[in-house]
Amino acid sequence: MADLIRLGSPTPRPLRFLLPGTTTRFRGGGLLVELQTARLTAQLRPTEVVTYRQREPDHPFLDDLLRTEPAPGEVLWIVSWGFDVPRLLRRLRGRPVAYHAHSSGYGFDLPPGTPVLAVSRNTLGYWGDRSPRSPLALVPNALEPMWLERGARPGHGAVAAPGTRRPIDVLVQRRKSSAYVLHQLVPALRARGLRVEVQSGWVEDLVDLFNSATVVLYDSADYWRGRGVSEGFGLPPLEALACGCVVFSSLNHALADTLDPGVLGHQIGAGSLEADLERIAAALADPEAWCADPQALAVLLEGCSERALLERWSAALAAIDGHWDRLAAGAPPLQAPATWRLRWGQRLERGLRLLSRHVPGGTG
């Protein structure tokens, strides 16, 4: 990325993050991350949120801007909202744009030359395969400062004295949890006399909740398999780690980016219910032996800090500005060959090799 920046002096563009709306109707991880990212990039260059489904008094509306601002315009548009992305890219044709990619697996392709800002290595690899000639950057989601500042992990925060038990043995957040966790594992843990809390609904202070738990269970594999798309980043396990919890998690998609089994976290659903019960009981009996490796955790959390992410966004945006400057000057975007063409070409090549082995004078 730094090499791209040194090649020229890209024109810094103001940013516009496109969201369907910002009210509770659209509340979810994707909305919160985009709003946090917009607050982050505002430290680098002018940034505003633009809505496109719902008009809101505090934000400009996409239809109005496109009607009054001819292409290409002076800004860089950031699109992110899953199934809306293809339609938004068509509406923004001729304007500098980048795709802030969270979950993967939606099935659409990107127009040639569309930059991708991937929030995880899993998503980066997906677009590295599907759009290999697009500018790609890795910009993980940032942990909000409250997790790093107030999380009661070893060596930081108000950690309980050795031998002191946290009020909650096992914490489960109902949303995205599998039927296995909710209907098999949780009842079995409670039958053993463990204090299990299944959290649902609004929580005023999530840091305080996680600081109160010894073990956190996060099993989103079935949730995302049922929807046909991926776990884009997986913030809850990182938030739990920042609070000194022992994390048992599924390892699907982006969760495998960070949750090195046995080092930072542990697999949930590891072969049998009995195995999970034994390992969770062991973690409760000796949390220090099951907590994340302190050095590995420190590296992980530093990489997800807002300070580290500001540096990544600064480099990524400069490279994207340079890319759009080159296209504006007439450079054609590279295009990857279609998958069907690659497959047929490889089949033809194999056929010709086989044929050459049976032709007199052939090289086979």
Side-chain angles (χ1 to χ4, degrees), residues 261-310:
V263 178
L264 287 164
H266 309 277
Q267 182 191 359
I268 194 71
S272 67
L273 173 63
E274 287 70 22
D276 282 351
L277 291 172
E278 290 173 9
R279 293 181 308 134
I280 292 170
L284 289 168
D286 188 3
E288 289 187 14
W290 287 75
C291 275
D293 175 78
Q295 290 185 330
L297 179 59
V299 171
L300 175 63
L301 295 180
E302 170 59 26
C304 294
S305 67
E306 290 194 348
R307 183 193 62 77
L309 268 298
L310 266 177

Side-chain angles (χ1 to χ4, degrees), residues 152-182:
R153 57 194 176 276
H156 183 274
V159 181
T164 303
R165 201 173 172 190
R166 290 186 174 192
I168 301 169
D169 289 329
V170 180
L171 174 65
V172 180
Q173 291 179 294
R174 182 177 294 276
R175 185 172 181 269
K176 298 183 185 177
S177 283
S178 65
Y180 161 69
V181 166
L182 295 175

Side-chain angles (χ1 to χ4, degrees), residues 186-210:
V186 164
L189 291 168
R190 285 174 171 162
R192 291 194 171 197
L194 300 179
R195 298 168 296 185
V196 181
E197 180 167 333
V198 179
Q199 177 263 321
S200 60
W202 179 256
V203 174
E204 194 65 37
D205 191 337
L206 274 174
V207 179
D208 184 59
L209 177 65
F210 277 66

Side-chain angles (χ1 to χ4, degrees), residues 5-343:
I5 298 171
R6 285 194 294 267
L7 291 176
S9 299
T11 304
R13 291 174 171 82
L15 304 181
R16 282 179 176 159
F17 283 80
L18 267 176
L19 289 169
T22 65
T23 62
T24 54
R25 173 187 171 192
F26 304 101
R27 178 179 290 167
L31 173 63
L32 296 178
V33 165
E34 287 303 289
L35 292 176
Q36 181 191 13
T37 303
R39 290 194 297 270
L40 201 65
T41 59
Q43 300 178 48
L44 300 172
R45 56 178 71 185
T47 301
E48 63 181 342
V49 169
V50 175
T51 62
Y52 59 88
R53 284 194 209 165
Q54 177 175 279
R55 288 184 180 273
E56 299 180 10
D58 296 331
H59 304 291
F61 193 63
L62 176 62
D63 290 354
D64 300 335
L65 295 174
L66 295 184
R67 190 164 49 246
T68 58
E69 298 179 2
E74 302 296 326
V75 303
L76 175 64
W77 298 82
I78 309 291
V79 300
S80 64
W81 207 260
F83 293 109
D84 292 350
V85 169
R87 181 171 61 89
L88 291 173
L89 291 178
R90 286 194 295 271
R91 297 196 67 192
L92 294 169
R93 187 178 291 119
R95 302 171 189 267
V97 64
Y99 173 35
H100 191 198
H102 297 259
S103 299
S104 59
Y106 289 101
F108 58 79
D109 290 314
L110 297 173
T114 303
V116 177
L117 296 152
V119 304
S120 68
R121 293 188 183 279
N122 179 78
T123 301
L124 181 70
Y126 175 88
W127 285 108
D129 170 66
R130 196 169 186 105
S131 194
R133 300 295 174 261
S134 292
L136 306 174
L138 177 63
V139 284
N141 293 331
L143 276 173
E144 291 193 66
M146 64 181 184
W147 297 100
L148 301 177
E149 295 167 359
R150 295 174 47 217
R153 57 194 176 276
H156 183 274
V159 181
T164 303
R165 201 173 172 190
R166 290 186 174 192
I168 301 169
D169 289 329
V170 180
L171 174 65
V172 180
Q173 291 179 294
R174 182 177 294 276
R175 185 172 181 269
K176 298 183 185 177
S177 283
S178 65
Y180 161 69
V181 166
L182 295 175
H183 304 308
Q184 294 186 60
L185 184 54
V186 164
L189 291 168
R190 285 174 171 162
R192 291 194 171 197
L194 300 179
R195 298 168 296 185
V196 181
E197 180 167 333
V198 179
Q199 177 263 321
S200 60
W202 179 256
V203 174
E204 194 65 37
D205 191 337
L206 274 174
V207 179
D208 184 59
L209 177 65
F210 277 66
N211 280 342
S212 301
T214 300
V215 169
V216 169
L217 308 183
Y218 185 81
D219 183 13
S220 71
D222 292 352
Y223 177 91
W224 291 112
R225 285 175 62 213
R227 280 156 177 75
V229 294
S230 72
E231 173 81 70
F233 186 72
L235 277 172
L238 292 187
E239 294 166 348
L241 289 172
C243 291
C245 305
V246 180
V247 173
F248 286 84
S249 174
S250 52
L251 299 172
N252 47 296
H253 311 120
L255 295 173
D257 280 10
T258 52
L259 292 175
D260 188 350
V263 178
L264 287 164
H266 309 277
Q267 182 191 359
I268 194 71
S272 67
L273 173 63
E274 287 70 22
D276 282 351
L277 291 172
E278 290 173 9
R279 293 181 308 134
I280 292 170
L284 289 168
D286 188 3
E288 289 187 14
W290 287 75
C291 275
D293 175 78
Q295 290 185 330
L297 179 59
V299 171
L300 175 63
L301 295 180
E302 170 59 26
C304 294
S305 67
E306 290 194 348
R307 183 193 62 77
L309 268 298
L310 266 177
E311 294 178 4
R312 283 185 174 270
W313 271 99
S314 178
L317 291 173
I320 290 172
D321 283 336
H323 166 72
W324 283 110
D325 286 348
R326 288 186 285 274
L327 296 192
L334 293 174
Q335 299 192 42
T339 302
W340 69 265
R341 186 181 297 277
L342 291 171
R343 290 174 178 170

Side-chain angles (χ1 to χ4, degrees), residues 345-359 362-364:
Q346 290 166 6
R347 288 176 184 173
L348 178 61
E349 184 179 344
R350 286 196 298 271
L352 291 174
R353 284 202 305 267
L354 289 172
L355 182 62
S356 69
R357 295 173 184 173
H358 298 89
V359 174
T363 59

